[in-house]
Amino acid sequence: SAVISQKPSRDICQRGTSLTIQCQVDSQVTMMFWYRQQPGQSLTLIATANQGSEATYESGFVIDKFPISRPNLTFSTLTVSNMSPEDSSIYLCSVAFLGGDEQYFGPGTRLTVT
Amino acid sequence: GENVEQHPSTLSVQEGDSAVIKCTYSDSASNYFPWYKQELGKRPQLIIDIRSNVGEKKDQRIAVTLNKTAKHFSLHITETQPEDSAVYFCAASDHNQGGKLIFGQGTELSVKP
C-alpha cells in the first residue's frame, strides 16, 4: 500500500497569516482530496485536487481562502489563507488509485490559530 | 447533494458483545460505502467497504450490510474487544461524480473489559 505523508504535522499560527500544507504519496495516484476535521467532529470535504487544473471546491469553500495546487500525480498542497481561530482544525489529504474507489488518508496536519 | 446520517453517536458495549452502527444516505446514485475507524490522534483507517451491487460483506469479526431500497447500510462488529474502541465513520460516494466521500457524523464506540 502507498505511504502518504503530510507536512507539517502540526503548527500554531497567528491570525491573519497563511499556512501551506503539503501532501506527498510514494506512488502515482488518480485522485487527491483535502478534508477538514474540526475538533470532535466528522470529516468535511474541502476540494478535489485536480492534476494540472484548478481544484473543484465544495459548497462553503472558496479558492481565495483555500488555494490548492497539484502539479503532478504524487503531490498536492493546500493553503489556508488569512487564518482566523475558526480555521483551527485537522486538515487531511486522501488519495485514490486508478480504478479504485478506496480512499486512504494522510496522517493529518493539526492547525491551531491564535 | 448527498447527505449521510449516522446513529448512534455513542455506543458502549461489554467485551464480547456485538456492536451495530447504522447509516442512511439520501442520494440513490451513491454506489460505494466505506467504513473508517479513527483512533484518538490517528488518521481514519479504511476497515471495510461495500458496493451497491452487493448486499453483505464480511471480514473476520466485521461485516457490512446494504439495503439499497431503503438507502441504509450498517456496520456489525462481533465479539468486540477493547481495541475496537474508537470513532467509526460511515461514508457514501458516487463513483461517477469523482468519488468524493460524504461522511456521517461518527460513532464513538467504547468496549468495556
Side-chain angles (χ1 to χ4, degrees):
Chain A
S1 60
V3 175
I4 308 166
S5 60
Q6 284 185 234
K7 289 182 182 178
S9 58
R10 59 178 62 224
D11 207 341
I12 301 173
C13 301
Q14 300 274 357
R15 73 168 67 212
T17 63
S18 298
L19 177 72
T20 295
I21 303 167
Q22 299 179 3
C23 178
Q24 178 77 54
V25 193
D26 69 348
S27 57
Q28 292 185 347
V29 296
T30 307
M31 307 295 290
M32 296 183 81
F33 304 89
W34 287 98
Y35 291 84
R36 181 173 74 183
Q37 186 174 30
Q38 295 180 305
Q41 302 295 313
S42 184
L43 294 89
T44 301
L45 180 65
I46 297 171
T48 302
N50 300 309
Q51 194 242 335
S53 65
E54 195 169 285
T56 305
Y57 290 84
E58 296 301 305
S59 176
F61 298 96
V62 295
I63 188 171
D64 289 347
K65 176 68 176 177
F66 297 101
I68 287 170
S69 78
R70 188 178 171 194
N72 56 50
L73 292 175
T74 63
F75 185 78
S76 178
T77 67
L78 167 74
T79 298
V80 186
S81 303
N82 188 24
M83 288 183 285
S84 67
E86 293 71 36
D87 294 319
S88 297
S89 191
I90 297 172
Y91 292 85
L92 299 118
C93 66
S94 74
V95 305
F97 297 90
L98 181 65
D101 294 309
E102 300 87 354
Q103 283 189 34
Y104 302 95
F105 284 85
T109 296
R110 183 180 294 272
L111 171 62
T112 302
V113 183
T114 61
Chain B
E2 176 65 278
N3 182 53
V4 178
E5 297 286 335
Q6 183 172 346
H7 300 280
S9 57
T10 61
L11 180 59
S12 181
V13 300
Q14 287 295 130
E15 182 177 0
D17 288 349
S18 295
V20 181
I21 303 170
K22 298 182 179 182
C23 289
T24 60
Y25 61 99
S26 61
D27 189 350
S28 56
S30 289
N31 49 28
Y32 175 65
F33 307 92
W35 287 87
Y36 287 85
K37 175 184 180 181
Q38 187 175 33
E39 297 177 69
L40 190 63
K42 301 287 184 62
R43 75 185 81 187
Q45 295 275 10
L46 178 65
I47 57 170
I48 196 167
D49 56 13
I50 193 167
R51 289 170 176 77
S52 58
N53 59 346
V54 176
E56 183 175 1
K57 183 176 178 181
K58 277 187 177 181
D59 183 2
Q60 299 183 3
R61 294 187 299 109
I62 60 174
V64 57
T65 59
L66 171 65
N67 182 326
K68 283 191 298 182
T69 303
K71 288 191 276 189
H72 66 69
F73 57 112
S74 301
L75 177 72
H76 304 252
I77 306 173
T78 59
E79 300 172 25
T80 54
Q81 302 167 2
E83 50 266 39
D84 294 328
S85 297
V87 179
Y88 291 81
F89 294 99
C90 64
S93 80
D94 177 359
H95 179 81
N96 299 314
Q97 293 296 323
K100 61 185 185 183
L101 292 176
I102 305 301
F103 282 85
Q105 297 88 341
T107 296
E108 183 174 3
L109 173 64
S110 175
V111 180
K112 300 188 185 307

